[in-house]
Each structure stands twice: as structure tokens, then as C-alpha cells.
Amino acid sequence: MRTLISTAFVSLDGVMEAPGGEPGYRNSGWTFKDVEFLPEAYEIKGREQEEAGALLLGRTSYQAFSQVWPDIEDFADYKVMPKYVVSTTLAEGDLVTNWGETTILRTLDEVAALKETEGGPIIVHGSATLNHALSDAGLIDRYHLIVFPLLLGAGKRLFSTTDKDTQKLKLVEHEAYANGLQKNVLDVVR
């Protein structure tokens, strides 16, 4: 069974919206404004590309990333990696042609079936709505979080607000950096 990993930049209060400067969010670009860049804090991002066997995205994140990531050298491993987009509305004709193999999944059952296939971990970037659904369905196995020492208030959050039973996590890797960032790798305890 493949491991499904949710990876995110999050503020201390759980906001994940527009970390890279995407338009429409009041605090857009919060990952690079007022936070000193330290390359060592992002080491896990390179490791994710090397170790992942597939990329899983929601429609909104796919549409944003597919316009930019195919041409960014830092994301070259993702270009050749199989990609899956979970969407009930996206059509085959909406997929870009310069980003490698991409498959549309229509249901969480199809995501669960994908986890049963052979291959390396499946990594989820961005995709707030998808993260909520995957978490609520018990499909996420691990979280890779870079926590920023910021309180952003309003904004899309990584974690669902669904009323559900406690979900226990086990911290398996962590580090704090001089700029206040924290890396937290947490396994979902089943």
C-alpha cells in the first residue's frame, strides 16, 4: 500500500492559503514576507520530490500549479512524475500537455484504489478542499508541515472543521530553524 503524504506550508493558526503570492488573499505571499529565507528549512521539499512516486492535487491547485511548475527547474521531478487530479468538473481537455501523464480521479474511492497500487508515496501539495476530504475519509497517512511563526487569521486552513473522533498523530521528525520555522513530520496513528 502506498503512503499518502499531505505537505504544506502553514501558519501557526493553520492557514495554508496563498503562501506563494497567489492573488485574492489578503496576506498572499506570507511565506516570503518578513521571514528570512534559510535553505535548510526547505530541505524536505527536495526530498519529497526524490521520494514521491506520484503527485495528487485538487482541481484548483492543479489549475494554478500546472501553469507554472512545468517550467520551473526546481520542480523538474514533478514534471515526469505521474499526476492525479481529484475533480468532479475537470475534463480531459482542461489538462495541460506540457506536464507529463495526468489522470483525473472523480471520487475518494478512486484515491483509495490508487493507494492500493504499487509505487512510491503519493504527495499532495496545496489542495485545501481535497486535504479536508482525504483527512475526513482517513486516507492521509503522513503530514509534512513547515510551520511559520505567523498568525494569519482568516484564510483556507489545512485541517477540516468536521466534527469527528480524535485523530492521533505521532511526531517522527522535527526541527526548528533560526528564522522561527519548524519542520514537523507526523504519521497518522491507526
Side-chain angles (χ1 to χ4, degrees), residues 55-69:
L55 179 61
L56 180 69
L57 299 167
R59 179 192 51 81
T60 303
S61 291
Y62 172 79
Q63 288 176 322
F65 296 165
S66 68
Q67 300 305 307
V68 181
W69 282 21

Side-chain angles (χ1 to χ4, degrees), residues 4 55-62 83-90 102-112 114 124 127 129-130 133-134:
L4 193 136
L55 179 61
L56 180 69
L57 299 167
R59 179 192 51 81
T60 303
S61 291
Y62 172 79
K83 283 163 280 308
Y84 298 87
V85 183
V86 181
S87 173
T88 58
T89 60
L90 201 64
T102 303
T103 303
I104 299 172
L105 304 178
R106 299 293 181 196
T107 67
L108 292 181
D109 287 339
E110 290 180 273
V111 175
L114 176 63
V124 181
S127 308
T129 302
L130 178 59
L134 293 170

Side-chain angles (χ1 to χ4, degrees), residues 42-105:
Y42 300 93
E43 171 276 333
I44 194 167
K45 294 302 177 189
R47 190 170 13 132
E48 288 169 351
Q49 281 190 76
E50 292 169 8
E51 295 174 359
L55 179 61
L56 180 69
L57 299 167
R59 179 192 51 81
T60 303
S61 291
Y62 172 79
Q63 288 176 322
F65 296 165
S66 68
Q67 300 305 307
V68 181
W69 282 21
D71 299 322
I72 297 177
E73 186 60 36
D74 287 345
F75 300 127
D77 290 337
Y78 286 135
K79 188 167 184 168
V80 296
M81 188 179 298
K83 283 163 280 308
Y84 298 87
V85 183
V86 181
S87 173
T88 58
T89 60
L90 201 64
E92 291 291 330
D94 298 326
L95 300 175
V96 299
T97 58
N98 65 334
W99 205 23
E101 175 192 347
T102 303
T103 303
I104 299 172
L105 304 178

Side-chain angles (χ1 to χ4, degrees), residues 112-123:
L114 176 63
K115 286 183 62 174
E116 297 294 329
T117 63
E118 295 293 320
I122 303 163
I123 194 123

